[in-house]
Amino acid sequence: VIRRFEAERSQTVMIAVDTGRLMTPMVGGMSKLDRAVNAALLLAYLGTEAGDLVGLLVFGRDVITYLPPRKGHRQFLAILEALYSAEGRVEEPDYTRALTYLAARLSKRSLIVLFTDILGTEPSKRLLGVLGGLAPRHLPLVLTQRNRVIEARARQEITTEAEAYASAVAEGVLRDKAEALGVLSARGALALDVEPEQLSVVAVNHYLEIKARGRL
């Protein structure tokens, strides 16, 4: 009876890592992709230790790696090996292809933790479109990293026409990103723009909170 209860309580966590061009910039000595990989590994370790089924999707323009959700330390080692070889690519991520591929392989309600970044209205629309099809069947958690360079440019003191133009562009970029994350939240996803150094902590805390509240 105890074993049956534990099996029923096992939850599915799918970790999706974007390797596209917006994940390649360096922040504090590490690329955004490196920080996403570190956060994904910590999440995978805690998930497998907790008895959850944990899977992995690595993607850019195409699906690079897919590991179906499984339990146990062997699964963590497989995820470790896959993420160790993940490299940033100067290409736009194809959210539709990647997340449609993922959804077709998930029969059980899952927490989908997506490490990505968005810039501009078109990528935001593509992400909104495909994630709208995942919720409410699944629970998406979208984690992006703040861009301090753009934030500083938006706040800079204006002394020239060129600085005024650069500041206006930066403000538009930040506004578009905030609006996209807001729409994701309104459609049932959890969407957060966090400090790069806090990415692992935020990912783990939300995973633990979701488990504690029984949202899966």
Side-chain angles (χ1 to χ4, degrees):
V1 174
I2 293 175
R3 289 176 181 171
R4 187 183 309 128
F5 174 76
E6 289 178 346
E8 291 172 353
R9 293 296 298 166
S10 294
Q11 297 167 331
T12 302
V13 180
M14 278 301 312
I15 301 170
V17 179
D18 169 13
T19 63
R21 67 179 183 87
L22 291 182
M23 300 296 284
T24 59
M26 301 295 289
V27 180
M30 295 178 64
S31 71
K32 289 187 174 183
L33 177 58
D34 288 338
R35 294 189 185 279
V37 165
N38 288 344
L41 284 173
L42 181 57
L43 191 60
Y45 175 77
L46 292 176
T48 52
E49 286 293 302
D52 285 340
L53 295 93
V54 182
L56 176 70
L57 176 75
V58 180
F59 71 98
R61 183 181 297 134
D62 301 303
V63 172
I64 299 166
T65 302
Y66 173 69
L67 298 177
R70 291 193 175 95
K71 291 184 180 183
H73 189 63
R74 285 189 179 181
Q75 178 71 349
F76 170 73
L77 294 178
I79 292 172
L80 174 64
E81 182 177 357
L83 287 176
Y84 180 77
S85 62
E87 296 181 352
R89 300 166 182 240
V90 186
E91 61 187 25
E92 297 297 332
D94 191 331
Y95 294 118
T96 302
R97 176 180 294 182
L99 297 179
T100 300
Y101 178 97
L102 179 60
R105 288 158 175 78
L106 293 178
S107 58
K108 182 180 178 183
R109 176 171 168 81
S110 306
L111 170 64
I112 301 175
V113 184
L114 171 60
F115 294 98
T116 187
D117 215 336
I118 50 179
L119 181 65
T121 56
E122 284 307 312
S124 301
K125 288 179 181 178
R126 291 195 293 270
L127 179 57
L128 289 171
V130 67
L131 282 181
L134 292 176
R137 181 182 178 187
H138 302 291
L139 178 59
L141 169 59
V142 181
L143 294 169
T144 63
Q145 300 173 54
R146 293 176 61 178
N147 189 316
R148 296 195 187 101
V149 173
I150 294 179
E151 290 177 357
R153 192 171 298 159
R155 297 192 303 265
Q156 70 180 342
E157 183 178 347
I158 305 301
T159 58
T160 67
E161 183 176 342
E163 289 175 348
Y165 175 77
S167 179
V169 170
E171 288 177 355
V173 167
L174 295 176
R175 183 172 57 253
D176 288 344
K177 185 174 186 178
E179 289 177 355
L181 294 176
V183 172
L184 286 173
S185 297
R187 293 186 180 180
L190 301 172
L192 301 168
D193 192 33
V194 306
E195 293 286 353
E197 296 83 356
Q198 294 297 311
L199 185 63
S200 294
V201 173
V202 172
V204 167
N205 283 346
H206 275 74
Y207 160 70
L208 295 175
E209 182 180 353
I210 288 167
K211 283 184 66 69
R213 294 187 176 185
R215 295 191 62 179
L216 292 178

